[in-house]
């Protein structure tokens, strides 16, 4: 049976990567689990007067390099193993781009689509109170993730500032610009994915102009990405949300869809002729971008994927087994830990700007982001070529090195 558990399958790839790098078993023992994970229960008053108790987590994988860093997701399917895996991937992402951070991640089991703004605000503030002892601008820095946004970051920062009795903009990233957010942070994940697509297309020897693209998910990453690729002359022939997918072989009207989507990325409910997410993934196209949730390309459908390039904008959309199948079929898979690293990279820029109190223009941010991601892509690509491993394993090899070396210098292993 295929392993669909994100945590244990990540452990397998970590073990493989560390042994290829020549590290001892003790190093694997250190890096196979987060250093700490806090589980919290938060009573929140709902609008109807009742109290609901929510469960949340904050996982800190490794802080040898620097403070831990990573988003907080609000989703009904959040669970401890998922948050642990996500924090491990953050260590790898930060390592690939060379950021002075280790990996962290948080999550709350809830469905914000059914909650009022007031309820979401009270839950966000309760979460910060619950985890305040282990986070902070030099300890662990949260950010947006699935179903969280700059407004939620603003409430969280405000709550933290109240607890600490001073303004702490560097406590969290992904903030609104007026509260110390960075230009370009909202589009950063999609920018990073676009850069990886451009680099991957160069390797495969085709032009982005006229290329047929399918994007699964129309949230923060998927929607901006559709816009960027559309503006670069690519033909976006398929998009989807949690409820279904839209397909037009002549190219979808992206500006219209962006205009009609709601803040959770829902848009397909407005149309009658929809296809399923499963059908979407198997469409005939040049570039496929899973930008939604995990375990979408598995051993069940990997043989039916028709794209030449798969670029993972979501975290964990392709299983380890499916990665092998795609690679064997000659499909270039750009893994999540590389392709989705644009978000945390600009989060780092935001934190740097907060620390120095001097803010950069959007062009400056984008230029710095491009430099980092082009270098990261080519680094991972050349390791995959010289060591004859798939791009996921190569990315883990590049991404784990800083955490392993820093742990060694500190005398932990
Ligand atoms: N949640 C995003 C990720 O998975 C961003 C994390 C951050 O900006 O710290 O990479």
């Amino acid at each position: 049976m295929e392993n669909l558990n994100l945590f244990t399958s990540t452990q397998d790839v970590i073990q493989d990567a560390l042994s290829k790098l020549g590290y001892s078993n003790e190093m694997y023992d250190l890096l196979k689990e987060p250093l700490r994970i806090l589980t919290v229960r938060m009573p929140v008053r709902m609008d109807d007067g009742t109290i609901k108790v929510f469960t949340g987590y904050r996982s800190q994988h490794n802080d040898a390099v620097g403070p831990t860093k990573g988003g907080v997701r609000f989703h009904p399917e959040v669970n401890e193993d998922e948050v642990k895996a996500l924090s491990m991937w953050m260590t790898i992402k930060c390592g690939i781009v060379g950021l002075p951070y280790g990996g962290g991640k948080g999550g709350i089991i809830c469905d914000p689509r059914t909650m009022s703004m007031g309820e979401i605000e009270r839950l966000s503030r309760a979460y910060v109170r619950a985890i305040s002892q282990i986070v902070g601008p030099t300890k662990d820095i949260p950010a947006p993730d699935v179903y969280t946004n700059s407004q939620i970051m603003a409430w969280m920062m405000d709550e933290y500032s109240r607890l600490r009795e001073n303004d702490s903009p560097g406590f969290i990233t992904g903030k609104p610009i007026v509260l110390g957010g960075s230009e370009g942070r909202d589009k950063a994940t999609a920018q990073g994915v676009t850069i990886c697509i451009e680099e991957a297309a160069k390797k495969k020897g085709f032009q982005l102009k006229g290329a047929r693209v399918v994007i699964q998910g129309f949230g923060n990453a998927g929607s901006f990405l559709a816009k960027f690729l559309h503006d670069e002359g690519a033909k976006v022939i398929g998009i989807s949300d949690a409820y279904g997918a839209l397909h037009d072989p002549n190219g979808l009207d992206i500006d219209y869809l962006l205009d009609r989507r709601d803040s959770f990325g829902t848009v397909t409910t407005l149309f009658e002729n929809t296809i399923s997410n499963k059908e979407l993934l198997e469409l005939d196209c040049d570039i496929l971008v899973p930008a939604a949730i995990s375990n979408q390309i598995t051993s069940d459908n990997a043989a039916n994927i028709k794209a030449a390039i798969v670029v993972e904008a979501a975290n964990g959309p392709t299983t380890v087994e499916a990665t092998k199948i795609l690679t064997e079929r000659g499909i270039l898979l750009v893994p999540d830990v590389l392709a989705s690293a644009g978000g945390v990279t600009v989060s780092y820029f935001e934190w740097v700007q907060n620390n120095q109190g001097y803010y950069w223009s959007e062009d400056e941010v984008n230029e710095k982001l491009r430099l980092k991601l082009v270098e990261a892509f080519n680094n991972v690509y050349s390791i995959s070529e010289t060591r004859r491993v798939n791009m996921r394993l190569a990315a883990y090899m590049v991404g784990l090195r800083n955490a392993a070396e820093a742990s060694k210098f500190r005398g932990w292993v």
Side-chain angles (χ1 to χ4, degrees), residues 38-42 44 46 52-58 72-83 106-115 119 123 127 146-148:
L38 182 64
T39 303
V40 294
R41 306 232 310 136
M42 301 157 285
V44 172
M46 306 305 277
K52 198 166 164 191
V53 184
F54 292 89
T55 300
Y57 307 93
R58 186 75 194 169
V72 181
R73 60 173 55 183
F74 286 7
H75 198 273
E77 265 126 57
V78 162
N79 60 69
E80 189 176 322
D81 267 3
E82 182 192 64
V83 176
I108 301 177
I109 306 169
C110 66
D111 192 348
R113 290 167 296 190
T114 62
M115 295 165 70
E119 289 167 345
L123 177 60
Y127 181 68
V146 175
Y147 292 160
T148 52

mmCIF file of all heavy atoms in Angstrom, residues 38-42 44 46 52-58 72-83 106-115 119 123 127 146-148:
data_model
loop_
_atom_site.group_PDB
_atom_site.id
_atom_site.type_symbol
_atom_site.label_atom_id
_atom_site.label_comp_id
_atom_site.label_asym_id
_atom_site.label_seq_id
_atom_site.Cartn_x
_atom_site.Cartn_y
_atom_site.Cartn_z
ATOM 1 N N LEU A 38 3.783 21.897 20.376
ATOM 2 C CA LEU A 38 2.858 22.300 21.435
ATOM 3 C C LEU A 38 1.432 22.104 20.930
ATOM 4 O O LEU A 38 1.091 22.548 19.836
ATOM 5 C CB LEU A 38 3.113 23.777 21.767
ATOM 6 C CG LEU A 38 2.289 24.395 22.883
ATOM 7 C CD1 LEU A 38 2.594 23.741 24.230
ATOM 8 C CD2 LEU A 38 2.566 25.904 22.973
ATOM 9 N N THR A 39 0.627 21.408 21.722
ATOM 10 C CA THR A 39 -0.797 21.259 21.392
ATOM 11 C C THR A 39 -1.585 22.154 22.335
ATOM 12 O O THR A 39 -1.339 22.140 23.547
ATOM 13 C CB THR A 39 -1.250 19.796 21.603
ATOM 14 O OG1 THR A 39 -0.419 18.959 20.811
ATOM 15 C CG2 THR A 39 -2.695 19.590 21.204
ATOM 16 N N VAL A 40 -2.481 22.938 21.797
ATOM 17 C CA VAL A 40 -3.240 23.863 22.656
ATOM 18 C C VAL A 40 -4.733 23.700 22.431
ATOM 19 O O VAL A 40 -5.169 23.342 21.336
ATOM 20 C CB VAL A 40 -2.831 25.336 22.394
ATOM 21 C CG1 VAL A 40 -1.383 25.564 22.810
ATOM 22 C CG2 VAL A 40 -3.013 25.743 20.933
ATOM 23 N N ARG A 41 -5.501 23.958 23.491
ATOM 24 C CA ARG A 41 -6.968 23.932 23.362
ATOM 25 C C ARG A 41 -7.467 25.323 23.723
ATOM 26 O O ARG A 41 -7.070 25.894 24.733
ATOM 27 C CB ARG A 41 -7.556 22.870 24.278
ATOM 28 C CG ARG A 41 -6.905 21.491 24.024
ATOM 29 C CD ARG A 41 -7.898 20.396 23.781
ATOM 30 N NE ARG A 41 -8.928 20.348 24.778
ATOM 31 C CZ ARG A 41 -10.227 20.184 24.504
ATOM 32 N NH1 ARG A 41 -10.634 20.068 23.261
ATOM 33 N NH2 ARG A 41 -11.115 20.141 25.471
ATOM 34 N N MET A 42 -8.317 25.877 22.859
ATOM 35 C CA MET A 42 -8.701 27.279 22.995
ATOM 36 C C MET A 42 -10.212 27.460 23.033
ATOM 37 O O MET A 42 -10.890 27.252 22.022
ATOM 38 C CB MET A 42 -8.145 28.056 21.790
ATOM 39 C CG MET A 42 -6.638 27.976 21.668
ATOM 40 S SD MET A 42 -6.092 28.294 19.967
ATOM 41 C CE MET A 42 -6.532 26.775 19.147
ATOM 42 N N VAL A 44 -13.430 29.519 22.698
ATOM 43 C CA VAL A 44 -13.754 30.766 21.986
ATOM 44 C C VAL A 44 -15.259 30.992 22.043
ATOM 45 O O VAL A 44 -16.041 30.057 21.831
ATOM 46 C CB VAL A 44 -13.305 30.660 20.500
ATOM 47 C CG1 VAL A 44 -13.791 31.854 19.692
ATOM 48 C CG2 VAL A 44 -11.786 30.539 20.410
ATOM 49 N N MET A 46 -18.613 31.960 20.563
ATOM 50 C CA MET A 46 -19.154 32.078 19.205
ATOM 51 C C MET A 46 -20.247 33.158 19.197
ATOM 52 O O MET A 46 -20.728 33.575 20.266
ATOM 53 C CB MET A 46 -19.726 30.725 18.741
ATOM 54 C CG MET A 46 -18.725 29.565 18.839
ATOM 55 S SD MET A 46 -17.161 29.843 17.979
ATOM 56 C CE MET A 46 -17.627 29.392 16.302
ATOM 57 N N LYS A 52 -17.058 27.334 22.089
ATOM 58 C CA LYS A 52 -16.537 26.182 21.341
ATOM 59 C C LYS A 52 -15.052 26.070 21.659
ATOM 60 O O LYS A 52 -14.338 27.083 21.664
ATOM 61 C CB LYS A 52 -16.753 26.417 19.848
ATOM 62 C CG LYS A 52 -16.650 25.158 19.046
ATOM 63 C CD LYS A 52 -17.205 25.343 17.645
ATOM 64 C CE LYS A 52 -16.682 24.174 16.813
ATOM 65 N NZ LYS A 52 -16.900 24.314 15.415
ATOM 66 N N VAL A 53 -14.592 24.841 21.930
ATOM 67 C CA VAL A 53 -13.173 24.659 22.249
ATOM 68 C C VAL A 53 -12.446 24.126 21.013
ATOM 69 O O VAL A 53 -12.769 23.051 20.510
ATOM 70 C CB VAL A 53 -12.985 23.695 23.444
ATOM 71 C CG1 VAL A 53 -11.506 23.605 23.820
ATOM 72 C CG2 VAL A 53 -13.808 24.152 24.636
ATOM 73 N N PHE A 54 -11.497 24.895 20.514
ATOM 74 C CA PHE A 54 -10.736 24.524 19.316
ATOM 75 C C PHE A 54 -9.385 23.937 19.720
ATOM 76 O O PHE A 54 -8.823 24.318 20.752
ATOM 77 C CB PHE A 54 -10.484 25.754 18.440
ATOM 78 C CG PHE A 54 -11.724 26.311 17.804
ATOM 79 C CD1 PHE A 54 -12.494 27.270 18.461
ATOM 80 C CD2 PHE A 54 -12.125 25.896 16.544
ATOM 81 C CE1 PHE A 54 -13.637 27.791 17.872
ATOM 82 C CE2 PHE A 54 -13.263 26.408 15.943
ATOM 83 C CZ PHE A 54 -14.022 27.363 16.613
ATOM 84 N N THR A 55 -8.863 23.040 18.867
ATOM 85 C CA THR A 55 -7.522 22.477 19.096
ATOM 86 C C THR A 55 -6.562 23.031 18.047
ATOM 87 O O THR A 55 -6.921 23.142 16.872
ATOM 88 C CB THR A 55 -7.568 20.939 18.972
ATOM 89 O OG1 THR A 55 -8.475 20.451 19.964
ATOM 90 C CG2 THR A 55 -6.189 20.313 19.217
ATOM 91 N N GLY A 56 -5.366 23.378 18.509
ATOM 92 C CA GLY A 56 -4.358 23.891 17.575
ATOM 93 C C GLY A 56 -2.980 23.358 17.924
ATOM 94 O O GLY A 56 -2.773 22.763 18.994
ATOM 95 N N TYR A 57 -2.038 23.573 17.003
ATOM 96 C CA TYR A 57 -0.665 23.074 17.198
ATOM 97 C C TYR A 57 0.338 24.131 16.764
ATOM 98 O O TYR A 57 0.049 24.954 15.912
ATOM 99 C CB TYR A 57 -0.409 21.845 16.317
ATOM 100 C CG TYR A 57 -1.419 20.750 16.471
ATOM 101 C CD1 TYR A 57 -2.526 20.682 15.617
ATOM 102 C CD2 TYR A 57 -1.290 19.795 17.474
ATOM 103 C CE1 TYR A 57 -3.479 19.675 15.753
ATOM 104 C CE2 TYR A 57 -2.229 18.783 17.618
ATOM 105 C CZ TYR A 57 -3.320 18.736 16.759
ATOM 106 O OH TYR A 57 -4.254 17.742 16.901
ATOM 107 N N ARG A 58 1.538 24.062 17.333
ATOM 108 C CA ARG A 58 2.684 24.776 16.772
ATOM 109 C C ARG A 58 3.867 23.831 16.856
ATOM 110 O O ARG A 58 4.201 23.335 17.946
ATOM 111 C CB ARG A 58 2.964 26.073 17.534
ATOM 112 C CG ARG A 58 4.074 26.935 16.903
ATOM 113 C CD ARG A 58 3.627 27.655 15.651
ATOM 114 N NE ARG A 58 4.765 28.180 14.900
ATOM 115 C CZ ARG A 58 4.708 28.670 13.664
ATOM 116 N NH1 ARG A 58 3.551 28.729 13.023
ATOM 117 N NH2 ARG A 58 5.776 29.114 13.054
ATOM 118 N N VAL A 72 0.645 29.473 9.578
ATOM 119 C CA VAL A 72 -0.398 28.882 10.418
ATOM 120 C C VAL A 72 -1.590 28.627 9.513
ATOM 121 O O VAL A 72 -2.054 29.543 8.829
ATOM 122 C CB VAL A 72 -0.863 29.859 11.529
ATOM 123 C CG1 VAL A 72 -1.927 29.189 12.397
ATOM 124 C CG2 VAL A 72 0.295 30.329 12.369
ATOM 125 N N ARG A 73 -2.065 27.382 9.464
ATOM 126 C CA ARG A 73 -3.233 27.105 8.644
ATOM 127 C C ARG A 73 -4.485 26.878 9.471
ATOM 128 O O ARG A 73 -4.417 26.347 10.580
ATOM 129 C CB ARG A 73 -2.989 25.943 7.684
ATOM 130 C CG ARG A 73 -2.646 24.620 8.320
ATOM 131 C CD ARG A 73 -2.591 23.518 7.264
ATOM 132 N NE ARG A 73 -1.660 23.844 6.183
ATOM 133 C CZ ARG A 73 -1.476 23.078 5.100
ATOM 134 N NH1 ARG A 73 -2.146 21.952 4.967
ATOM 135 N NH2 ARG A 73 -0.620 23.422 4.170
ATOM 136 N N PHE A 74 -5.604 27.341 8.949
ATOM 137 C CA PHE A 74 -6.914 27.117 9.568
ATOM 138 C C PHE A 74 -7.642 26.149 8.638
ATOM 139 O O PHE A 74 -8.027 26.522 7.532
ATOM 140 C CB PHE A 74 -7.719 28.423 9.625
ATOM 141 C CG PHE A 74 -7.266 29.417 10.668
ATOM 142 C CD1 PHE A 74 -6.118 29.234 11.417
ATOM 143 C CD2 PHE A 74 -8.033 30.551 10.931
ATOM 144 C CE1 PHE A 74 -5.728 30.154 12.385
ATOM 145 C CE2 PHE A 74 -7.654 31.478 11.894
ATOM 146 C CZ PHE A 74 -6.497 31.286 12.623
ATOM 147 N N HIS A 75 -7.840 24.910 9.065
ATOM 148 C CA HIS A 75 -8.485 23.947 8.158
ATOM 149 C C HIS A 75 -9.085 22.804 8.977
ATOM 150 O O HIS A 75 -8.491 22.371 9.960
ATOM 151 C CB HIS A 75 -7.447 23.400 7.160
ATOM 152 C CG HIS A 75 -8.064 22.757 5.955
ATOM 153 N ND1 HIS A 75 -8.430 21.434 5.935
ATOM 154 C CD2 HIS A 75 -8.413 23.256 4.743
ATOM 155 C CE1 HIS A 75 -8.971 21.147 4.754
ATOM 156 N NE2 HIS A 75 -8.966 22.238 4.020
ATOM 157 N N PRO A 76 -10.247 22.285 8.552
ATOM 158 C CA PRO A 76 -10.876 21.203 9.333
ATOM 159 C C PRO A 76 -10.034 19.936 9.385
ATOM 160 O O PRO A 76 -10.179 19.142 10.323
ATOM 161 C CB PRO A 76 -12.205 20.941 8.612
ATOM 162 C CG PRO A 76 -12.226 21.789 7.395
ATOM 163 C CD PRO A 76 -11.110 22.772 7.458
ATOM 164 N N GLU A 77 -9.147 19.729 8.390
ATOM 165 C CA GLU A 77 -8.374 18.489 8.384
ATOM 166 C C GLU A 77 -6.978 18.601 9.002
ATOM 167 O O GLU A 77 -6.183 17.660 8.918
ATOM 168 C CB GLU A 77 -8.251 17.949 6.971
ATOM 169 C CG GLU A 77 -9.309 16.907 6.662
ATOM 170 C CD GLU A 77 -10.095 17.250 5.426
ATOM 171 O OE1 GLU A 77 -9.480 17.411 4.363
ATOM 172 O OE2 GLU A 77 -11.326 17.390 5.530
ATOM 173 N N VAL A 78 -6.691 19.729 9.634
ATOM 174 C CA VAL A 78 -5.384 19.870 10.303
ATOM 175 C C VAL A 78 -5.222 18.751 11.324
ATOM 176 O O VAL A 78 -6.184 18.376 12.004
ATOM 177 C CB VAL A 78 -5.313 21.249 11.019
ATOM 178 C CG1 VAL A 78 -4.217 21.264 12.067
ATOM 179 C CG2 VAL A 78 -5.092 22.371 10.004
ATOM 180 N N ASN A 79 -4.034 18.157 11.393
ATOM 181 C CA ASN A 79 -3.758 17.180 12.453
ATOM 182 C C ASN A 79 -2.278 17.242 12.794
ATOM 183 O O ASN A 79 -1.484 17.866 12.083
ATOM 184 C CB ASN A 79 -4.180 15.766 12.034
ATOM 185 C CG ASN A 79 -3.434 15.309 10.794
ATOM 186 O OD1 ASN A 79 -2.232 15.069 10.834
ATOM 187 N ND2 ASN A 79 -4.137 15.224 9.670
ATOM 188 N N GLU A 80 -1.923 16.581 13.893
ATOM 189 C CA GLU A 80 -0.568 16.711 14.413
ATOM 190 C C GLU A 80 0.495 16.248 13.411
ATOM 191 O O GLU A 80 1.506 16.924 13.209
ATOM 192 C CB GLU A 80 -0.446 15.916 15.717
ATOM 193 C CG GLU A 80 0.865 16.194 16.404
ATOM 194 C CD GLU A 80 0.977 15.488 17.753
ATOM 195 O OE1 GLU A 80 -0.034 15.409 18.482
ATOM 196 O OE2 GLU A 80 2.089 15.031 18.055
ATOM 197 N N ASP A 81 0.256 15.108 12.761
ATOM 198 C CA ASP A 81 1.248 14.593 11.805
ATOM 199 C C ASP A 81 1.455 15.568 10.650
ATOM 200 O O ASP A 81 2.576 15.771 10.188
ATOM 201 C CB ASP A 81 0.788 13.241 11.231
ATOM 202 C CG ASP A 81 1.345 12.082 12.047
ATOM 203 O OD1 ASP A 81 2.023 12.350 13.070
ATOM 204 O OD2 ASP A 81 1.088 10.920 11.677
ATOM 205 N N GLU A 82 0.357 16.150 10.189
ATOM 206 C CA GLU A 82 0.469 17.091 9.071
ATOM 207 C C GLU A 82 1.298 18.304 9.482
ATOM 208 O O GLU A 82 2.202 18.744 8.762
ATOM 209 C CB GLU A 82 -0.929 17.539 8.615
ATOM 210 C CG GLU A 82 -0.880 18.471 7.421
ATOM 211 C CD GLU A 82 -2.209 19.150 7.121
ATOM 212 O OE1 GLU A 82 -2.684 19.944 7.964
ATOM 213 O OE2 GLU A 82 -2.761 18.912 6.052
ATOM 214 N N VAL A 83 1.006 18.858 10.658
ATOM 215 C CA VAL A 83 1.742 20.048 11.111
ATOM 216 C C VAL A 83 3.222 19.710 11.304
ATOM 217 O O VAL A 83 4.109 20.512 10.967
ATOM 218 C CB VAL A 83 1.110 20.613 12.408
ATOM 219 C CG1 VAL A 83 1.915 21.785 12.930
ATOM 220 C CG2 VAL A 83 -0.322 21.048 12.157
ATOM 221 N N GLY A 106 2.207 25.964 12.132
ATOM 222 C CA GLY A 106 1.098 25.897 13.073
ATOM 223 C C GLY A 106 -0.189 25.575 12.353
ATOM 224 O O GLY A 106 -0.285 25.726 11.133
ATOM 225 N N GLY A 107 -1.157 25.128 13.115
ATOM 226 C CA GLY A 107 -2.458 24.853 12.505
ATOM 227 C C GLY A 107 -3.537 24.822 13.557
ATOM 228 O O GLY A 107 -3.277 24.519 14.732
ATOM 229 N N ILE A 108 -4.740 25.172 13.141
ATOM 230 C CA ILE A 108 -5.902 25.077 14.032
ATOM 231 C C ILE A 108 -6.975 24.277 13.301
ATOM 232 O O ILE A 108 -7.239 24.520 12.114
ATOM 233 C CB ILE A 108 -6.460 26.469 14.393
ATOM 234 C CG1 ILE A 108 -5.387 27.325 15.086
ATOM 235 C CG2 ILE A 108 -7.695 26.343 15.277
ATOM 236 C CD1 ILE A 108 -5.851 28.739 15.417
ATOM 237 N N ILE A 109 -7.570 23.314 14.017
ATOM 238 C CA ILE A 109 -8.651 22.538 13.423
ATOM 239 C C ILE A 109 -9.920 23.392 13.473
ATOM 240 O O ILE A 109 -10.492 23.609 14.558
ATOM 241 C CB ILE A 109 -8.882 21.215 14.199
ATOM 242 C CG1 ILE A 109 -7.574 20.433 14.305
ATOM 243 C CG2 ILE A 109 -9.978 20.389 13.541
ATOM 244 C CD1 ILE A 109 -7.628 19.255 15.279
ATOM 245 N N CYS A 110 -10.316 23.914 12.339
ATOM 246 C CA CYS A 110 -11.517 24.754 12.280
ATOM 247 C C CYS A 110 -11.895 24.938 10.815
ATOM 248 O O CYS A 110 -11.086 24.655 9.933
ATOM 249 C CB CYS A 110 -11.252 26.123 12.907
ATOM 250 S SG CYS A 110 -10.068 27.125 11.994
ATOM 251 N N ASP A 111 -13.100 25.405 10.555
ATOM 252 C CA ASP A 111 -13.475 25.697 9.172
ATOM 253 C C ASP A 111 -13.849 27.167 9.057
ATOM 254 O O ASP A 111 -14.998 27.545 9.303
ATOM 255 C CB ASP A 111 -14.644 24.797 8.727
ATOM 256 C CG ASP A 111 -14.836 24.902 7.223
ATOM 257 O OD1 ASP A 111 -14.231 25.814 6.597
ATOM 258 O OD2 ASP A 111 -15.583 24.076 6.668
ATOM 259 N N PRO A 112 -12.878 28.017 8.696
ATOM 260 C CA PRO A 112 -13.153 29.456 8.663
ATOM 261 C C PRO A 112 -14.244 29.833 7.666
ATOM 262 O O PRO A 112 -14.828 30.903 7.769
ATOM 263 C CB PRO A 112 -11.800 30.072 8.266
ATOM 264 C CG PRO A 112 -11.016 28.974 7.669
ATOM 265 C CD PRO A 112 -11.517 27.693 8.273
ATOM 266 N N ARG A 113 -14.551 28.924 6.697
ATOM 267 C CA ARG A 113 -15.599 29.238 5.719
ATOM 268 C C ARG A 113 -16.972 29.318 6.375
ATOM 269 O O ARG A 113 -17.900 29.887 5.824
ATOM 270 C CB ARG A 113 -15.624 28.177 4.608
ATOM 271 C CG ARG A 113 -14.413 28.254 3.699
ATOM 272 C CD ARG A 113 -14.293 27.046 2.825
ATOM 273 N NE ARG A 113 -14.060 25.826 3.607
ATOM 274 C CZ ARG A 113 -13.735 24.660 3.092
ATOM 275 N NH1 ARG A 113 -13.618 24.538 1.791
ATOM 276 N NH2 ARG A 113 -13.523 23.607 3.859
ATOM 277 N N THR A 114 -17.091 28.704 7.571
ATOM 278 C CA THR A 114 -18.396 28.720 8.251
ATOM 279 C C THR A 114 -18.375 29.640 9.467
ATOM 280 O O THR A 114 -19.308 29.622 10.265
ATOM 281 C CB THR A 114 -18.761 27.299 8.724
ATOM 282 O OG1 THR A 114 -17.755 26.891 9.680
ATOM 283 C CG2 THR A 114 -18.772 26.302 7.582
ATOM 284 N N MET A 115 -17.303 30.419 9.637
ATOM 285 C CA MET A 115 -17.197 31.278 10.827
ATOM 286 C C MET A 115 -17.316 32.749 10.445
ATOM 287 O O MET A 115 -16.964 33.138 9.331
ATOM 288 C CB MET A 115 -15.840 31.041 11.518
ATOM 289 C CG MET A 115 -15.696 29.636 12.090
ATOM 290 S SD MET A 115 -13.984 29.230 12.517
ATOM 291 C CE MET A 115 -13.694 30.283 13.928
ATOM 292 N N GLU A 119 -15.654 35.718 15.005
ATOM 293 C CA GLU A 119 -15.241 34.418 15.553
ATOM 294 C C GLU A 119 -13.793 34.108 15.137
ATOM 295 O O GLU A 119 -12.998 33.620 15.936
ATOM 296 C CB GLU A 119 -16.189 33.320 15.062
ATOM 297 C CG GLU A 119 -17.577 33.409 15.699
ATOM 298 C CD GLU A 119 -18.629 32.534 15.012
ATOM 299 O OE1 GLU A 119 -18.398 32.058 13.883
ATOM 300 O OE2 GLU A 119 -19.704 32.341 15.621
ATOM 301 N N LEU A 123 -10.607 33.607 17.674
ATOM 302 C CA LEU A 123 -9.808 32.381 17.613
ATOM 303 C C LEU A 123 -8.321 32.715 17.348
ATOM 304 O O LEU A 123 -7.426 32.135 17.973
ATOM 305 C CB LEU A 123 -10.346 31.457 16.505
ATOM 306 C CG LEU A 123 -9.587 30.156 16.267
ATOM 307 C CD1 LEU A 123 -9.567 29.286 17.530
ATOM 308 C CD2 LEU A 123 -10.209 29.360 15.107
ATOM 309 N N TYR A 127 -5.249 31.852 19.906
ATOM 310 C CA TYR A 127 -4.095 31.030 19.487
ATOM 311 C C TYR A 127 -2.787 31.693 19.901
ATOM 312 O O TYR A 127 -1.886 31.042 20.450
ATOM 313 C CB TYR A 127 -4.163 30.831 17.972
ATOM 314 C CG TYR A 127 -3.053 29.978 17.399
ATOM 315 C CD1 TYR A 127 -2.963 28.613 17.686
ATOM 316 C CD2 TYR A 127 -2.095 30.537 16.552
ATOM 317 C CE1 TYR A 127 -1.951 27.839 17.145
ATOM 318 C CE2 TYR A 127 -1.082 29.761 15.998
ATOM 319 C CZ TYR A 127 -1.014 28.408 16.303
ATOM 320 O OH TYR A 127 -0.006 27.634 15.770
ATOM 321 N N VAL A 146 -2.720 28.032 4.473
ATOM 322 C CA VAL A 146 -4.056 27.745 3.948
ATOM 323 C C VAL A 146 -5.144 28.438 4.786
ATOM 324 O O VAL A 146 -5.184 28.275 6.015
ATOM 325 C CB VAL A 146 -4.307 26.214 3.924
ATOM 326 C CG1 VAL A 146 -5.732 25.902 3.504
ATOM 327 C CG2 VAL A 146 -3.309 25.533 3.001
ATOM 328 N N TYR A 147 -6.001 29.200 4.131
ATOM 329 C CA TYR A 147 -7.147 29.895 4.746
ATOM 330 C C TYR A 147 -6.775 30.896 5.847
ATOM 331 O O TYR A 147 -7.592 31.202 6.719
ATOM 332 C CB TYR A 147 -8.199 28.912 5.275
ATOM 333 C CG TYR A 147 -8.930 28.139 4.209
ATOM 334 C CD1 TYR A 147 -9.598 26.957 4.504
ATOM 335 C CD2 TYR A 147 -8.983 28.589 2.890
ATOM 336 C CE1 TYR A 147 -10.281 26.232 3.528
ATOM 337 C CE2 TYR A 147 -9.655 27.880 1.914
ATOM 338 C CZ TYR A 147 -10.299 26.706 2.235
ATOM 339 O OH TYR A 147 -10.986 26.003 1.272
ATOM 340 N N THR A 148 -5.547 31.400 5.842
ATOM 341 C CA THR A 148 -5.229 32.537 6.716
ATOM 342 C C THR A 148 -4.662 33.654 5.834
ATOM 343 O O THR A 148 -4.120 33.385 4.764
ATOM 344 C CB THR A 148 -4.224 32.174 7.833
ATOM 345 O OG1 THR A 148 -3.074 31.557 7.243
ATOM 346 C CG2 THR A 148 -4.824 31.244 8.861
#
